[in-house]
Amino acid sequence: MTETTTETTGVTEMAEPAEVKIAFMGAGSVVFTQGLLADLFAFPEFTRLRIALHDIDSERLATSEAAARHIAGALKVAPVITAHPDRRGALDGAHFVINTVQVGMNAATRTDFAVPARYGLRQTIGDTLGVGGIFRALRTFPVLRGIAEDMAELCPDAWLLNYTNPMAMNLLYLHRVAPRLKAVGLCHSVYWTMHDLSELVGVDFSDVSYLAAGMNHQAWVLRFERDGRDLHPLLDAAIEKDRELLRRVRVDMYRRLGHYPTETSEHSSEYVPWYLHHDSEVERLRLPIGAYLDIIEDNTVSYERTRNALAAGRPLPVEGTMEYAPQIIHSVVTGSPRTIYGNVPNHGLITNLPDDCVVEVPCLVDSQGVQPTRVGALPPQCAALNRTYASVTDLVVRAATEGEPRHVRHAAMTDAATAATLPVERIWDLCDDLVQAHGELLQPELRVLLGH
């Protein structure tokens, strides 16, 4: 990427590049890749893009390439598009790397639900905390290490823009095994929470200012205003008017904690001990057990629909997503400043959370990259929940970086929803069963059965 140097300050700034190469890891997540490409191709400044698609599934890789070419044609742009079954070919010389890898795909996700269900452990999404999040992380870490090592060799100055969950675990792992890697975790939960809250209180989203911070999928709305006026009274009135809103976990948490959580009720129910273990709460709060299994089936149907349409030459919808990765790339390349929400190492950004955990905070993005904002202290009740989350995350990452299988069990013992449901011996038995089920997707040191 072309650079210029300002002589008076020595600061390196990006000029308009001759070419920007963006590598997609897990490009076979075709529907998501389509949206990101539609966003990227819509920027008029990107006249010379090189899109390098990588996936280990040859059919999905071919489908993503065909979709990319279709979107480019529909938007009348002419990027260079290449498909790579080999990861290194895609990464070589990249300026940005977008990661959407899902290790084990749908089969592994079904295992994450089926095995705990035999123990009576309920999950809704299973991608962030709980045994589902723990084992999703453990099978993702070896791939992340490989990507980081290849980037250090082939594109050491590139930004890794990660979408793969569990976000906090993945980013903390990368920070510990590849501390020089420029990486940020991206999630749309804060944006859509604030968008939907604005709609709920009848205020145009473009008129709203807000601040949120915490852990990914468990951040908290700290400020919600229009023209300097607090909008929480309008939110309270909307909840009072529609009593069915009281039958949602995040509204229940908001009323008890005083701050609205930034992820869905399905997600939020899994990170605390209060809901999923109790039949009455599952009914009262309308919690869909196993909801993510329906989501992955819907994703499969969407993929097959896209694949079949491309094969038949039928037109596809070309719609942008407002996702953060294309916005970050645009800001870094052009210098246009933006604020996004990113997941980054804490390092004093939130003062009452561990310094080395990964937090979600507002970040300025411009030609200097992603620059996180210091928030200060969270409300103590919110920080208390985040600290339990951070402890689980730390133990999972330690299990992998230290090759210590006992820490896998320690993480599950620490997890709030798991500990509320199972006695400790059953937690260890469950971890053994999941280790056996996932087998070679885990690093060798963690394929150990420990019993109790």
Side-chain angles (χ1 to χ4, degrees), residues 118-192:
R118 293 202 296 265
Y119 284 76
L121 183 60
R122 291 165 169 161
Q123 298 179 100
T124 50
I125 305 298
D127 71 351
T128 301
L129 286 178
V131 290
I134 289 168
F135 279 87
R136 179 180 282 245
L138 293 174
R139 63 179 183 265
T140 303
F141 289 166
V143 176
L144 292 179
R145 181 185 283 270
I147 291 172
E149 290 174 348
D150 286 348
M151 287 181 65
E153 177 185 350
L154 300 169
C155 53
D157 295 324
W159 275 95
L160 176 62
L161 309 178
N162 180 71
Y163 279 104
T164 295
N165 285 317
M167 186 65 68
M169 294 183 192
N170 288 340
L171 266 292
L172 184 61
Y173 177 80
L174 284 169
H175 179 63
R176 290 186 180 170
V177 302
R180 295 186 179 181
L181 180 71
K182 296 191 295 187
V184 61
L186 304 178
C187 178
H188 52 236
S189 62
V190 172
Y191 171 85
W192 283 112

Side-chain angles (χ1 to χ4, degrees), residues 24-29 53-58 60-61 84-86:
F24 283 75
M25 303 290 100
S29 302
L53 305 168
H54 162 68
D55 202 280
I56 62 173
D57 184 314
S58 59
R60 281 181 170 267
L61 180 60
H84 304 264
D86 171 55

Side-chain angles (χ1 to χ4, degrees), residues 15 27 47 80 99 153 159 167 169 233-234 238 315 322 416:
T47 57
V80 175
N99 181 43
E153 177 185 350
W159 275 95
M167 186 65 68
M169 294 183 192
L234 292 182
M322 294 297 293

Side-chain angles (χ1 to χ4, degrees), residues 2-6 9-15 332 367-368:
T2 305
E3 295 180 341
T4 59
T5 300
T6 305
T9 64
V11 174
T12 299
E13 298 180 351
M14 291 186 181
V332 173
S367 61
Q368 302 305 304

Side-chain angles (χ1 to χ4, degrees), residues 73-97:
L75 295 178
K76 297 180 171 55
V77 295
V80 175
I81 298 170
T82 55
H84 304 264
D86 171 55
R87 180 175 68 210
R88 290 173 61 84
L91 290 173
D92 192 11
H95 302 110
F96 301 91
V97 179

Side-chain angles (χ1 to χ4, degrees), residues 290-366:
Y292 196 65
L293 296 175
D294 294 331
I295 293 172
I296 64 173
E297 293 302 325
D298 289 344
N299 289 342
T300 299
V301 170
S302 296
Y303 162 72
E304 292 173 348
R305 186 183 300 119
T306 297
R307 179 198 60 197
N308 295 340
L310 290 165
R314 296 194 300 270
L316 291 174
V318 179
E319 299 176 354
T321 61
M322 294 297 293
E323 285 288 349
Y324 285 142
Q327 297 179 53
I328 290 173
I329 294 169
H330 183 265
S331 288
V332 173
V333 170
T334 67
S336 303
R338 282 184 174 85
T339 297
I340 59 100
Y341 274 77
N343 292 271
V344 294
N346 188 11
H347 295 171
L349 300 172
I350 298 179
T351 54
N352 52 352
L353 293 185
D355 196 57
D356 66 344
C357 74
V358 168
V359 295
E360 189 165 61
V361 294
C363 301
L364 170 68
V365 191
D366 58 18

